[in-house]
Amino acid sequence: MIKVLFLIHDLGQGGAEKVMVNLVNNMDSTKYDITVMTLFGGGVNEQFLLPHIKRCSVFKKAFPANSKIMKLFTPTFLHKFCIKEHYDVEISYLEGPSARIISGCPNKDTKLVSWIHCTMRSEDDVANGFRSYKEANLCYNKFDFTAFVSQGVRDAFTKFSEYRGKTRVLYNTIESDVIVSKSKEKVDNLDSDVTKIVATGTLKQVKGFDRLLRIAKKLKEDHIRFHLYILGRGPMQNELAEYITSNNLDDFVSLLGYDTNPYKYVSKCDLFVCSSYSEGFSTAATEALIVGTPVITTEVSGMKEMLGENNEYGIVTENSEEALYKSIKRLLTTPNMLEDYAKRAKERSCYFSKDITTREVEKSISELIGDI
């Protein structure tokens, strides 16, 4: 058995956390002895790990200024403190703190993998979670190879970092059959008389829900009949709720909170919107395609890989509020356009086979340790 450790910050509501659980659950359990270690326990996605996956947490829960405190210690010390067993492969499944810890591995025969999910747009982004940009490069260059969730994420990282190791794009593992099954669950609180728009994600600045609400206000002023449903929770929740109320959008926008089954909502809506300022490879947009809901998105990493260079399977707009507004308005007012993209979404969903993405990861690990 090949002993593999996946280290991640936590198993909260984020997309990276969800797809990591999908990946480890689908890897060959007769070949891989997998441990998932989180720095902080208690995340909502912990419950979805299959029983044969070993799990542990360094700390029961997150504590204030944990990132700053960890920077007081060297990667070597942190690795010794956090990781007590020997593994054949150690994988940092997110950039930053987990990568810093894994880079401190003293075992020369252990292969190290860094998995980058976020689009880095500056040297400061590369240095996030490290003491400095110099330390970040020293740590990342200790990995035997670095995986990226999209070509755009790889291009950005190699542009702004000084990483010179091997790279590979490995797409996220999506539980397509589970998603389709869960999408059939009944929902009672959706408006059936208007065009239903849905957006999902953590309610934080990078997801662009604030500009999506401003777009909703413009659509209301254009006398377009619609209802926007936003699924998720996060630090901007009160701010978004206040905007909805103060701009008389209560009949047009609903904040539904977090739901472990967003697919039942997404599948019953007419349009999925990604309004993000930045993404790695949007899990939520992928899931929308799988349930046959048309996707419109700002141009962030991975979207043209997902939807086509020429909008074959969905609409990719310039990453601006005005461009997204105009494209949404066009979709909602052009006869048969939404129906056409619904058909294209179903066609594209076949591209995201969990078997293919999982086997690619297993192949990469086998090549890394020479087991081919």
Side-chain angles (χ1 to χ4, degrees):
M1 296 278 280
I2 301 169
K3 290 188 66 175
V4 182
L5 173 72
F6 284 80
L7 177 65
I8 191 168
H9 186 273
D10 60 64
L11 285 176
Q13 63 173 316
E17 293 82 351
K18 183 189 298 184
V19 296
M20 191 203 71
V21 170
N22 293 342
L23 172 59
V24 299
N25 282 346
N26 284 283
M27 290 177 67
D28 187 347
S29 61
T30 67
K31 187 173 182 179
Y32 299 97
D33 178 5
I34 297 174
T35 297
V36 170
M37 178 183 290
T38 58
L39 293 179
F40 307 104
V44 68
N45 276 296
E46 280 187 359
Q47 64 187 300
F48 301 118
L49 286 169
L50 293 181
H52 71 274
I53 303 296
K54 298 174 183 176
R55 63 197 78 180
C56 58
S57 297
V58 180
F59 304 100
K60 287 186 178 181
K61 60 181 181 180
F63 51 86
N66 60 77
S67 180
K68 291 183 179 179
I69 291 171
M70 282 192 283
K71 289 178 190 177
L72 298 175
F73 303 96
T74 66
T76 302
F77 175 88
L78 290 171
H79 188 280
K80 184 177 180 180
F81 177 81
C82 297
I83 301 171
K84 309 299 184 183
E85 293 187 38
H86 178 275
Y87 297 91
D88 299 302
V89 182
E90 294 184 7
I91 299 172
S92 162
Y93 202 71
L94 273 177
E95 49 284 319
S98 59
R100 190 167 181 264
I101 292 169
I102 294 295
S103 73
C105 178
N107 306 315
K108 301 300 181 185
D109 57 338
T110 298
K111 300 298 183 181
L112 308 182
V113 178
S114 173
W115 212 303
I116 307 293
H117 291 256
C118 297
T119 303
M120 299 186 185
R121 303 187 181 281
S122 67
E123 292 184 357
D124 286 343
D125 287 347
V126 174
N128 188 34
F130 297 87
R131 290 175 175 174
S132 64
Y133 178 69
K134 180 180 179 180
E135 186 196 55
N137 284 300
L138 287 171
C139 289
Y140 280 122
N141 277 295
K142 291 182 179 180
F143 288 91
D144 293 281
F145 89 83
T146 296
F148 301 88
V149 295
S150 72
Q151 183 62 49
V153 172
R154 176 163 67 176
D155 291 345
F157 183 77
T158 54
K159 176 181 179 181
F160 291 107
S161 75
E162 295 174 4
Y163 179 72
R164 298 296 177 262
K166 296 179 181 178
T167 66
R168 177 168 291 180
V169 173
L170 294 171
Y171 292 121
N172 291 332
T173 298
I174 307 295
E175 292 269 20
S176 303
D177 50 347
V178 174
I179 289 170
V180 171
S181 176
K182 287 185 174 182
S183 73
K184 297 175 182 177
E185 186 177 322
K186 188 178 179 181
V187 174
D188 295 320
N189 57 337
L190 297 182
D191 191 336
S192 60
D193 297 327
V194 297
T195 301
K196 296 178 288 295
I197 305 171
V198 64
T200 68
T202 306
L203 306 185
K204 56 185 180 181
Q205 189 67 40
V206 72
K207 296 297 183 180
F209 291 121
D210 53 338
R211 63 177 171 181
L212 185 55
L213 290 187
R214 291 191 292 271
I215 289 170
K217 181 182 178 182
K218 292 180 182 178
L219 294 174
K220 174 192 172 185
E221 292 167 353
D222 292 332
H223 303 292
I224 294 174
R225 299 183 72 247
F226 73 96
H227 198 110
L228 168 64
Y229 299 93
I230 298 178
L231 285 154
R233 62 183 177 222
M236 291 187 69
Q237 185 162 332
N238 291 339
E239 178 184 335
L240 298 177
E242 288 173 7
Y243 185 91
I244 292 169
T245 300
S246 62
N247 287 278
N248 299 313
L249 291 173
D250 298 271
D251 293 334
F252 293 84
V253 182
S254 297
L255 299 178
L256 298 179
Y258 178 76
D259 196 301
T260 56
N261 179 13
Y263 323 117
K264 61 186 177 185
Y265 294 98
V266 177
S267 65
K268 296 170 183 64
C269 287
D270 304 293
L271 179 65
F272 175 90
V273 179
C274 173
S275 55
S276 296
Y277 293 97
S278 179
E279 288 281 348
F281 194 87
S282 174
T283 302
T286 308
E287 292 166 346
L289 293 179
I290 288 170
V291 300
T293 300
V295 173
I296 184 168
T297 176
T298 51
E299 186 173 355
V300 290
S301 290
M303 288 305 191
K304 287 193 173 181
E305 292 171 61
M306 185 189 303
L307 301 176
E309 289 291 331
N310 298 299
N311 295 335
E312 293 93 335
Y313 303 103
I315 303 294
V316 182
T317 75
E318 173 190 318
N319 198 333
S320 73
E321 184 174 320
E322 184 66 16
L324 184 59
Y325 157 67
K326 288 181 178 178
S327 293
I328 292 175
K329 181 178 179 180
R330 179 168 167 255
L331 269 172
L332 299 187
T333 56
T334 303
N336 303 319
M337 196 172 183
L338 277 174
E339 291 83 352
D340 179 48
Y341 271 107
K343 295 176 183 177
R344 300 190 195 191
K346 291 180 180 178
E347 180 184 342
R348 189 58 165 171
S349 67
C350 300
Y351 182 77
F352 303 103
S353 163
K354 70 178 181 183
D355 293 330
I356 292 174
T357 55
T358 304
R359 297 298 86 80
E360 283 298 309
V361 173
E362 293 181 345
K363 178 183 176 183
S364 297
I365 292 175
S366 292
E367 290 175 352
L368 185 61
I369 65 174
D371 180 33
I372 54 176

